[in-house]
Amino acid sequence: MKTLHTLAELREALPGPGAAAFVPTMGNLHEGHLSLVELARARGGPVVASIFVNRLQFAPHEDFDTYPRTLQRDSELLQGAGCDLLFAPSEAELYPEPQGYKVHPPAALADVLEGAFRPGFFTGVCTVVMKLFQCVQPRVAVFGKKDYQQLMVIRGMVRQMALPIEIIAGETARAEDGLALSSRNGYLSAAERAEAPVLARTLRGLVDALRAGHGDLAALEAEAMAALAARGWAPDYIAIRRRQDLGAPAPGDALVVLAAARLGRTRLIDNLEVD
Ligand code: PAF
């Protein structure tokens, strides 16, 4: 695997536009990321992963400065997973001047749920992903369902901007106790790590209730929030939404249940599709 730090090196190493299968990341990789690399590999063509901690998607009070930067370990993992090229630009390389041109996703999708609690987050994500797409010019790009709303926002951007890129969704990788793998799980203390799977169990309970025919969605959401709060969590939202666009569901819609909650100082997100 070659590691490239500049756009010029990347362009030199790529066989041409529309060739690569791309996995964008912010590093501190875990099995979930490696399963996305596996999906990319299955699509043929050189597999390109990027590692770039994108300042634009962090609010000033968030963890940009402390976000774990583990490039050496990440490159070993990527190499082991069969990645061909790692693009790891510096901030000065990707943002050589203040990024005045930005991609603003529509409010109906991007200012709800995560976007309501992290204003500007999806503008930061779309802007860097659009830029990385211009750098790598991939044929396919793989995103995890763990960041469900992000996946929807990126799909919408690709569709509305007519980008010639197929977006592939990877399933959420979980620890044996059900906790969704996340780079931020490393922030949890031992006691918090023991409590953390309760978020996934709460979502599973909601999915079971929906499957059993419970129709009062607002009551289900409120009960789940209260149950988490009673255990010491600070939930931002637990929401039962239409899968297609994360809007308020109508009878018969395919559903997804999404949650974000703080456990101590760590904010965890998770979701489950209702099948
Ligand atoms: O999901 C992530 O790791 C990031 O949001 C992404 C897509 C790499 C953009 O910085």
Side-chain angles (χ1 to χ4, degrees), residues 15 42 58 147 195 202 269:
F58 288 80
D147 297 296
E195 171 68 13
T202 302
I269 65 170

Side-chain angles (χ1 to χ4, degrees), residues 82-140:
C83 179
D84 299 299
L85 299 174
L86 166 58
F87 181 44
S90 66
E91 251 197 308
E93 180 68 15
L94 208 62
Y95 297 134
E97 53 188 271
Q99 185 71 28
Y101 290 84
K102 293 190 176 150
V103 181
H104 294 286
L109 183 57
D111 290 359
V112 299
L113 303 171
E114 281 303 281
F117 289 89
R118 304 183 69 188
F121 171 69
F122 288 115
T123 294
V125 168
C126 284
T127 303
V128 79
V129 169
M130 179 65 105
K131 196 152 186 177
L132 290 167
F133 281 171
Q134 301 309 320
C135 297
V136 177
Q137 296 184 274
R139 181 172 39 84
V140 300

Side-chain angles (χ1 to χ4, degrees), residues 46 50 101 181 241 262:
S50 65
Y101 290 84
L181 299 190
R241 293 295 170 97
R262 240 168 249 286

